[in-house]
Amino acid sequence: MASSPKTPKGQATAKHILDTALGLFRERGFEATSMRDIAAAAGKSLGAAYHYFASKDAIVAGYFEHTQLEHERRMEDAAGLSVGDYVTRAISSKLDIVEGDQKLLAAQLATLASPDHPMSLFVSQSDLRKRSVAVFARAFESTELDAATRGLAAHAAWMLHLGVLLYFVHDTSDGASKSRRLATALGSTYGQLVSLANTPFARPFIEQALRLAQELGIENL
């Protein structure tokens, strides 16, 4: 945002512009929608729109902030679930939140994947990335895994959910049913794998994965 609205009126105006912009993005597409279009549809001057959002990218950043806040809210009461159920719920709830936004997400793939863009999911300093990983980290808080393994497991679960979202962008099934089945299957399978992490058979592979992650800097992605 170009300006952080402090008053309730300012916050309401920013939300109205954001909601209007998202509606146009969904209807027309991201590239086909201009800031002038957004201002006109919101009943605001172009200057007023720029006062709250410096660009369309800033509006998308506001969308991702809203998405993250909603994801955190929906996962607040999930701490007691098993790892498999927690990861399944975390991925499924994200699909619920972004339902209907496949075109918008598709238009942002290059931005989200670029390590040089401030909105990228792979910028280590990204606040949204850290918060998103933290949501998945809660799945492992009550496990017997050591801190390093919990950290690796959280990042792995987070990247797993990115893979489902990528599949979702191209999913043409009714209600993204294939993406939802994938979320359930992967969450369950991941939970089973995590339950084996401390077994004598699996531990050497976990140690190898931890060393590789450290060498490649994967834990900082």
Side-chain angles (χ1 to χ4, degrees), residues 5-48:
K6 301 296 184 182
T7 66
K9 181 179 179 180
Q11 292 173 352
T13 300
K15 185 178 186 306
H16 174 59
I17 294 172
L18 174 62
D19 290 343
T20 300
L22 294 177
L24 290 177
F25 293 159
R26 290 162 183 151
E27 178 184 348
R28 304 179 184 179
F30 180 77
E31 297 298 337
T33 303
S34 68
M35 285 294 290
R36 190 174 299 278
D37 294 332
I38 294 167
K44 303 294 180 182
S45 69
L46 184 59

Side-chain angles (χ1 to χ4, degrees), residues 117-189:
H117 198 285
M119 281 173 50
S120 173
L121 293 171
F122 298 100
V123 174
S124 60
Q125 295 81 14
S126 168
D127 178 63
L128 285 178
R129 184 196 68 81
K130 291 177 181 178
R131 288 164 55 192
S132 186
V133 172
V135 169
F136 286 92
R138 293 179 63 201
F140 310 96
E141 290 177 349
S142 61
T143 67
E144 297 180 355
L145 301 177
D146 59 82
T149 305
R150 288 200 304 270
L152 181 62
H155 276 81
W158 173 73
M159 287 189 280
L160 193 68
H161 115 280
L162 292 184
V164 175
L165 288 177
L166 179 61
Y167 182 87
F168 163 77
V169 167
H170 303 282
D171 186 1
T172 59
S173 61
D174 290 341
S177 60
K178 289 184 178 179
S179 297
R180 297 180 185 282
R181 292 204 305 273
L182 181 62
T184 300
L186 290 179
S188 175
T189 301

Side-chain angles (χ1 to χ4, degrees), residues 4-88:
S4 298
K6 301 296 184 182
T7 66
K9 181 179 179 180
Q11 292 173 352
T13 300
K15 185 178 186 306
H16 174 59
I17 294 172
L18 174 62
D19 290 343
T20 300
L22 294 177
L24 290 177
F25 293 159
R26 290 162 183 151
E27 178 184 348
R28 304 179 184 179
F30 180 77
E31 297 298 337
T33 303
S34 68
M35 285 294 290
R36 190 174 299 278
D37 294 332
I38 294 167
K44 303 294 180 182
S45 69
L46 184 59
Y50 276 119
H51 175 72
Y52 291 100
F53 298 96
S55 64
K56 290 194 296 181
D57 281 345
I59 291 175
V60 173
Y63 165 76
F64 286 127
E65 170 68 19
H66 165 75
T67 298
Q68 180 59 36
L69 284 171
E70 182 62 16
H71 197 219
E72 290 166 352
R73 185 189 69 79
R74 295 191 184 197
M75 295 303 295
E76 284 178 352
D77 62 346
L81 297 177
S82 67
V83 170
D85 287 344
Y86 185 101
V87 173
T88 296

